[in-house]
Coordinates of all heavy atoms in Angstrom, one line a residue:
T411 N 3.4 -9.7 9.3 CA 2.2 -10.1 8.7 C 2.0 -9.6 7.2 O 1.6 -10.3 6.3 CB 1.0 -9.7 9.5 OG1 1.1 -10.2 10.8 CG2 -0.3 -10.2 8.9
L412 N 2.3 -8.3 7.1 CA 2.1 -7.6 5.8 C 3.3 -7.8 4.9 O 3.3 -8.4 3.8 CB 1.8 -6.2 5.9 CG 1.6 -5.4 4.6 CD1 0.5 -6.0 3.8 CD2 1.2 -3.9 4.9
L413 N 4.5 -7.2 5.3 CA 5.7 -7.2 4.5 C 6.2 -8.6 4.2 O 6.9 -8.8 3.2 CB 6.7 -6.3 5.1 CG 6.4 -4.8 5.3 CD1 7.5 -4.0 5.8 CD2 6.0 -4.2 3.9
K414 N 6.1 -9.5 5.2 CA 6.6 -10.8 5.0 C 5.6 -11.9 4.9 O 5.9 -13.1 5.1 CB 7.5 -11.1 6.2 CG 8.7 -10.2 6.4 CD 9.5 -10.4 7.6 CE 10.6 -9.4 7.8 NZ 11.5 -9.7 9.0
G415 N 4.4 -11.5 4.6 CA 3.3 -12.5 4.5 C 2.3 -12.2 3.4 O 2.6 -12.6 2.2
V416 N 1.2 -11.6 3.7 CA 0.1 -11.5 2.7 C 0.4 -10.6 1.5 O -0.3 -10.7 0.5 CB -1.2 -11.0 3.4 CG1 -1.6 -12.0 4.5 CG2 -1.0 -9.6 3.9
L417 N 1.4 -9.7 1.7 CA 1.7 -8.7 0.6 C 2.0 -9.4 -0.7 O 1.6 -8.9 -1.8 CB 2.8 -7.8 1.0 CG 3.1 -6.7 0.0 CD1 2.0 -5.7 -0.2 CD2 4.4 -5.9 0.4
C418 N 2.7 -10.5 -0.7 CA 3.1 -11.2 -1.9 C 1.8 -11.6 -2.7 O 1.8 -11.5 -3.9 CB 4.0 -12.4 -1.7 SG 3.3 -13.7 -0.6
F419 N 0.8 -12.2 -2.0 CA -0.4 -12.6 -2.7 C -1.2 -11.5 -3.2 O -1.8 -11.6 -4.3 CB -1.2 -13.5 -1.7 CG -0.5 -14.7 -1.2 CD1 -0.1 -14.7 0.1 CD2 -0.1 -15.7 -2.0 CE1 0.6 -15.8 0.7 CE2 0.6 -16.8 -1.5 CZ 1.0 -16.9 -0.2
L420 N -1.3 -10.4 -2.5 CA -2.0 -9.2 -2.9 C -1.4 -8.6 -4.1 O -2.1 -8.2 -5.1 CB -2.2 -8.2 -1.8 CG -3.0 -8.7 -0.6 CD1 -2.9 -7.7 0.6 CD2 -4.4 -8.9 -0.9
L421 N -0.1 -8.5 -4.1 CA 0.6 -7.9 -5.2 C 0.6 -8.7 -6.5 O 0.4 -8.2 -7.6 CB 2.1 -7.6 -4.9 CG 2.4 -6.5 -3.9 CD1 3.9 -6.4 -3.6 CD2 1.9 -5.2 -4.4
F422 N 0.7 -10.0 -6.3 CA 0.6 -10.9 -7.5 C -0.8 -10.9 -8.1 O -0.9 -10.7 -9.3 CB 0.9 -12.4 -7.0 CG 0.9 -13.4 -8.2 CD1 2.0 -13.4 -9.0 CD2 -0.2 -14.2 -8.5 CE1 2.1 -14.3 -10.1 CE2 -0.1 -15.1 -9.5 CZ 1.0 -15.2 -10.3
R423 N -1.8 -10.9 -7.3 CA -3.2 -10.8 -7.8 C -3.4 -9.4 -8.5 O -4.0 -9.3 -9.6 CB -4.2 -10.9 -6.7 CG -5.6 -10.3 -6.9 CD -6.3 -10.9 -8.0 NE -7.6 -10.3 -8.2 CZ -8.3 -10.2 -9.3 NH1 -7.8 -10.9 -10.3 NH2 -9.5 -9.6 -9.4
G424 N -2.9 -8.3 -7.9 CA -3.0 -7.0 -8.5 C -2.3 -6.9 -9.9 O -2.8 -6.3 -10.8
S425 N -1.1 -7.4 -9.9 CA -0.2 -7.2 -11.1 C -0.7 -8.2 -12.3 O -0.5 -7.8 -13.4 CB 1.2 -7.5 -10.8 OG 1.4 -8.8 -10.2
V426 N -1.3 -9.3 -11.9 CA -1.8 -10.2 -13.0 C -2.8 -9.6 -13.8 O -2.9 -9.9 -15.0 CB -2.3 -11.5 -12.3 CG1 -3.2 -12.3 -13.2 CG2 -1.2 -12.4 -11.9
R427 N -3.6 -8.7 -13.3 CA -4.8 -8.1 -14.0 C -4.4 -6.9 -14.8 O -5.2 -6.3 -15.4 CB -5.9 -7.9 -13.1 CG -5.7 -6.8 -12.0 CD -6.9 -6.7 -11.1 NE -6.8 -5.6 -10.2 CZ -7.1 -4.3 -10.5 NH1 -7.5 -4.0 -11.7 NH2 -6.9 -3.3 -9.7
V428 N -3.1 -6.4 -14.6 CA -2.7 -5.2 -15.3 C -2.4 -5.5 -16.8 O -1.6 -6.4 -17.0 CB -1.5 -4.5 -14.7 CG1 -1.0 -3.3 -15.5 CG2 -1.9 -4.1 -13.3
S429 N -3.0 -4.8 -17.7 CA -2.7 -5.1 -19.1 C -1.4 -4.6 -19.6 O -1.0 -3.4 -19.3 CB -3.8 -4.4 -20.0 OG -3.5 -4.4 -21.3
W430 N -0.6 -5.4 -20.2 CA 0.7 -5.1 -20.7 C 0.6 -4.0 -21.7 O 1.5 -3.1 -21.8 CB 1.4 -6.3 -21.2 CG 2.9 -6.1 -21.6 CD1 3.4 -5.8 -22.8 CD2 4.0 -6.0 -20.7 NE1 4.7 -5.6 -22.8 CE2 5.1 -5.7 -21.5 CE3 4.1 -6.2 -19.3 CZ2 6.4 -5.6 -20.9 CZ3 5.4 -6.1 -18.8 CH2 6.5 -5.8 -19.6
V431 N -0.4 -4.1 -22.6 CA -0.5 -3.1 -23.7 C -0.8 -1.7 -23.1 O -0.1 -0.7 -23.5 CB -1.7 -3.5 -24.6 CG1 -2.0 -2.5 -25.7 CG2 -1.4 -4.9 -25.3
T432 N -1.7 -1.6 -22.2 CA -2.0 -0.3 -21.6 C -0.8 0.2 -20.8 O -0.5 1.4 -20.8 CB -3.3 -0.4 -20.7 OG1 -4.3 -1.1 -21.4 CG2 -3.7 1.0 -20.3
L433 N -0.2 -0.7 -20.1 CA 1.0 -0.3 -19.3 C 2.1 0.3 -20.2 O 2.8 1.2 -19.8 CB 1.5 -1.4 -18.4 CG 2.7 -1.2 -17.5 CD1 2.3 -0.1 -16.5 CD2 3.1 -2.4 -16.8
R434 N 2.3 -0.4 -21.3 CA 3.3 0.1 -22.2 C 3.0 1.5 -22.8 O 3.9 2.3 -23.0 CB 3.5 -0.9 -23.4 CG 4.7 -0.6 -24.3 CD 5.0 -1.8 -25.2 NE 3.9 -2.1 -26.1 CZ 3.2 -3.2 -26.1 NH1 3.5 -4.2 -25.3 NH2 2.2 -3.4 -26.9
E435 N 1.7 1.7 -23.0 CA 1.3 3.1 -23.5 C 1.6 4.1 -22.5 O 1.9 5.3 -22.9 CB -0.2 3.0 -23.9 CG -0.5 2.2 -25.1 CD -2.0 2.1 -25.3 OE1 -2.7 2.6 -24.4 OE2 -2.4 1.5 -26.3
Q436 N 1.5 3.8 -21.2 CA 1.7 4.8 -20.2 C 3.0 4.6 -19.4 O 3.1 5.1 -18.3 CB 0.5 4.7 -19.2 CG -0.9 4.8 -19.8 CD -1.1 6.1 -20.5 OE1 -0.5 7.1 -20.2 NE2 -2.0 6.1 -21.5
R437 N 3.9 3.9 -20.0 CA 5.1 3.5 -19.3 C 5.9 4.7 -18.7 O 6.5 4.6 -17.6 CB 6.0 2.6 -20.1 CG 6.6 3.3 -21.4 CD 7.3 2.3 -22.3 NE 7.8 2.8 -23.5 CZ 7.1 3.1 -24.6 NH1 5.8 2.8 -24.7 NH2 7.7 3.6 -25.7
W438 N 6.1 5.8 -19.5 CA 6.9 6.9 -19.1 C 6.3 7.6 -17.9 O 7.0 8.0 -17.0 CB 7.2 7.9 -20.2 CG 8.0 7.2 -21.3 CD1 7.6 7.0 -22.6 CD2 9.3 6.7 -21.2 NE1 8.6 6.4 -23.3 CE2 9.7 6.2 -22.5 CE3 10.2 6.6 -20.2 CZ2 10.9 5.6 -22.7 CZ3 11.5 6.0 -20.4 CH2 11.8 5.5 -21.7
L439 N 5.0 7.8 -17.9 CA 4.3 8.4 -16.8 C 4.4 7.6 -15.6 O 4.7 8.1 -14.5 CB 2.9 8.7 -17.2 CG 2.0 9.4 -16.1 CD1 2.6 10.7 -15.6 CD2 0.6 9.6 -16.6
V440 N 4.2 6.3 -15.7 CA 4.3 5.4 -14.6 C 5.7 5.3 -14.0 O 5.9 5.4 -12.8 CB 3.8 3.9 -15.0 CG1 4.1 2.9 -13.9 CG2 2.4 3.9 -15.4

Side-chain angles (χ1 to χ4, degrees):
T411 303
L412 178 58
L413 296 183
K414 300 178 182 179
V416 302
L417 183 61
C418 61
F419 302 112
L420 295 174
L421 288 179
F422 185 78
R423 157 62 182 158
S425 55
V426 160
R427 66 183 188 83
V428 174
S429 168
W430 186 262
V431 174
T432 311
L433 183 61
R434 187 168 62 244
E435 292 173 355
Q436 308 300 334
R437 63 188 181 279
W438 294 117
L439 180 57
V440 170

